[in-house]
């Protein structure tokens, strides 16, 4: 496979950028998660305050963003594996990218209420 085949074209460039950005976002989430979990050993009261912050609508919207990042990163990662290891992968990479985007949109639409129900009920009532 010639160099640059995987990310040829505008769509390929944006999928490359999105894959890196989502990977960095997931890394930072895991970093913060380890720190806040470690806080329970240092100060249980501070830990309780942090966990209370996580129940706010803004953090809940951020959780939806985290779901979006993880889901896109995973689906696009499967596409990258197919492009790398399937002999016809480079030929169908654009179609696979649009399939990834379509599946991602459908799954994110399905995750909207289950993830954001607490915020929606807080803002608009139950």
């Amino acid at each position: 496979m010639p160099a640059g085949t995987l990310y040829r074209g505008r769509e390929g460039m944006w999928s490359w950028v999105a894959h890196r950005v989502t990977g960095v976002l997931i890394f930072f989430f895991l970093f913060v998660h380890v720190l806040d979990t470690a806080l329970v050993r240092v100060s249980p009261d501070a830990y309780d305050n942090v966990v209370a912050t996580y129940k706010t609508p803004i953090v809940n919207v951020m959780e939806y963003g985290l779901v979006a990042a993880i889901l896109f990163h995973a689906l696009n990662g499967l596409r990258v594996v197919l492009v790398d290891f399937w002999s016809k992968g480079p030929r169908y990479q654009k179609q696979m990218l649009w399939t990834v985007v379509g599946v991602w949109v459908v799954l994110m639409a399905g995750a909207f209420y289950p993830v954001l129900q607490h915020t929606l009920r807080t803002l608009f009532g139950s």
Side-chain angles (χ1 to χ4, degrees), residues 4 9 12-13 17 27 33 35 45 53-54 65 71 83-84 119 121:
M13 178 190 71
V17 169
F27 170 79
H33 180 62
L35 287 178
D45 291 333
T53 303
Y54 291 164
L71 187 59
V83 170
D84 285 348
T119 295
R121 288 181 179 166

Side-chain angles (χ1 to χ4, degrees), residues 81-99:
V81 167
L82 286 172
V83 170
D84 285 348
F85 294 108
W86 180 36
S87 62
K88 295 180 183 180
R91 185 178 315 145
Y92 295 110
Q93 66 177 320
K94 191 172 183 179
Q95 294 89 336
M96 288 189 293
L97 175 60
W98 287 111
T99 301

Side-chain angles (χ1 to χ4, degrees):
M1 174 167 64
T5 301
L6 178 59
Y7 298 112
R8 185 171 293 166
R10 187 172 293 157
E11 296 90 358
M13 178 190 71
W14 285 112
S15 72
W16 183 87
V17 169
H19 199 72
R20 278 18 178 220
V21 168
T22 56
V24 169
L25 290 173
I26 294 164
F27 170 79
F28 280 118
F29 163 75
L30 291 173
F31 182 71
V32 169
H33 180 62
V34 168
L35 287 178
D36 70 15
T37 304
L39 189 59
V40 75
R41 301 192 75 155
V42 177
S43 171
D45 291 333
Y47 175 79
D48 290 340
N49 290 335
V50 169
V51 170
T53 303
Y54 291 164
K55 296 177 183 176
T56 63
I58 292 172
V59 175
N60 190 223
V61 171
M62 291 170 61
E63 288 174 337
Y64 186 70
L66 177 64
V67 170
I70 291 170
L71 187 59
F72 178 81
H73 194 81
L75 293 171
N76 193 52
L78 292 173
R79 183 189 70 85
V80 169
V81 167
L82 286 172
V83 170
D84 285 348
F85 294 108
W86 180 36
S87 62
K88 295 180 183 180
R91 185 178 315 145
Y92 295 110
Q93 66 177 320
K94 191 172 183 179
Q95 294 89 336
M96 288 189 293
L97 175 60
W98 287 111
T99 301
V100 162
V101 170
V103 169
W104 179 78
V105 166
V106 167
L107 292 175
M108 287 308 298
F112 183 80
Y113 186 74
V115 174
L116 293 174
Q117 68 182 339
H118 175 71
T119 295
L120 294 171
R121 288 181 179 166
T122 300
L123 296 176
F124 303 111
S126 45

